[in-house]
Amino acid sequence: MSTHINAPEGAIAPAVLLPGDPLRAKYIAENFLENPVCYNEVRGMYGYTGTYKGKKISVQGTGMGQPSLSIYVNELFQFYGVQTAIRVGTCGAIHESTHVRDTILVSGACSDSSLMNQRFGNLHFAATADFGLLEKAHLAAEKLGIKHLVGRCASSDLFYDENENWKLWAKYGVLGIEMEAAELYTLAAKFGRKALTVLTVSDHIVTGETTTADERQVTFTNMIKIALEAAV
């Protein structure tokens, strides 16, 4: 067991999907995994292990923001031997090439997080996905007939950004804003693990188009299908 994950040794698979919303973790386990077993309910952050196409797969909620994800991913990597971590979550579109409900395979993540500053000071770190996982996800999406984009996102600590910093990121081709991918990629680099982020666009910051909470929780299934195929 670790501080925030109440799982015995062997309960968590080497490959884990990481939704921010614990209710999305529950939804994935109950609708995509065979024989799912709940291994964690600490702080309501559900974690499940089941099988997908005969392979053991886990799904663990991480909460919102890089500090919260950092806690769970550190523990998964350090105490449970997780080798592959794939975030499945939502983002806000900021670029003209992205639209609500689009699927994005995140090749790299910019960030404004102080977590980066605490680690690297004045240096800059390129937080990127594992190429093998990215390629598998791309090929899976092609096979499934799922239209998708491949590109950069930005992981911001600010959800309500009154300074509109997203405009500068958009100018440099960033597709969307979310809150976790950069920390996931950085921790994967630190521990020598594989990581990927697959996102669904839940709203468009420029146009104002949005989706409901229920839609975000249970209807964004394309990213889940892609992530599971990449995980196996």
Side-chain angles (χ1 to χ4, degrees):
M1 299 180 184
S2 61
T3 304
H4 301 89
I5 303 175
N6 187 26
E9 184 177 354
I12 301 178
V16 180
L17 268 58
L18 302 172
D21 184 351
L23 292 180
R24 185 179 290 132
K26 186 174 186 289
Y27 173 81
I28 293 170
E30 292 177 348
N31 291 274
F32 290 89
L33 301 184
E34 297 176 352
N35 304 312
V37 175
C38 182
Y39 62 74
N40 188 65
E41 294 182 330
V42 176
R43 295 176 177 261
M45 201 60 67
Y46 298 123
Y48 297 84
T49 296
T51 58
Y52 178 77
K53 294 188 174 181
K55 182 173 180 178
K56 189 177 178 182
I57 297 286
S58 294
V59 53
Q60 173 64 57
T62 64
M64 295 179 66
Q66 294 180 83
S68 182
L69 174 134
S70 187
I71 289 171
Y72 291 95
V73 173
N74 264 290
E75 294 185 15
L76 290 169
F77 285 169
Q78 291 188 69
F79 303 114
Y80 296 100
V82 169
Q83 301 298 311
T84 299
I86 302 178
R87 164 165 157 69
V88 283
T90 58
C91 71
I94 59 173
H95 197 267
E96 61 185 12
S97 66
T98 48
H99 304 89
V100 170
R101 297 180 182 82
D102 277 355
T103 301
I104 301 175
L105 310 182
V106 178
S107 56
C110 309
S111 183
D112 59 15
S113 178
S114 63
L115 294 177
M116 289 291 188
N117 296 334
Q118 290 182 60
R119 286 193 182 96
F120 301 107
N122 292 327
L123 302 176
H124 296 275
F125 178 74
T128 57
D130 176 80
F131 177 76
L133 282 179
L134 182 62
E135 182 181 37
K136 286 180 70 176
H138 167 68
L139 293 174
E142 292 276 307
K143 185 176 180 180
L144 292 166
I146 298 173
K147 183 181 177 182
H148 61 286
L149 302 170
V150 179
R152 290 177 295 273
C153 75
S155 302
S156 178
D157 284 349
L158 283 172
F159 186 87
Y160 299 105
D161 178 13
E162 61 186 28
N163 296 319
E164 297 187 324
N165 292 324
W166 59 267
K167 290 184 177 179
L168 182 57
W169 273 322
K171 181 179 178 180
Y172 282 81
V174 173
L175 300 178
I177 301 284
E178 53 88 74
M179 302 184 75
E180 290 87 19
E183 178 67 1
L184 173 61
Y185 289 175
T186 303
L187 290 173
K190 176 182 177 181
F191 289 101
R193 310 299 166 86
K194 297 178 180 180
L196 176 66
T197 294
V198 185
L199 301 172
T200 301
V201 177
S202 60
D203 58 281
H204 206 299
I205 295 174
V206 179
T207 66
E209 186 180 1
T210 189
T211 56
T212 67
D214 286 341
E215 284 182 281
R216 292 192 291 273
Q217 186 175 307
V218 301
T219 68
F220 291 173
T221 58
N222 282 344
M223 65 178 175
I224 299 167
K225 296 173 184 176
I226 293 170
L228 286 168
E229 290 296 320
V232 297

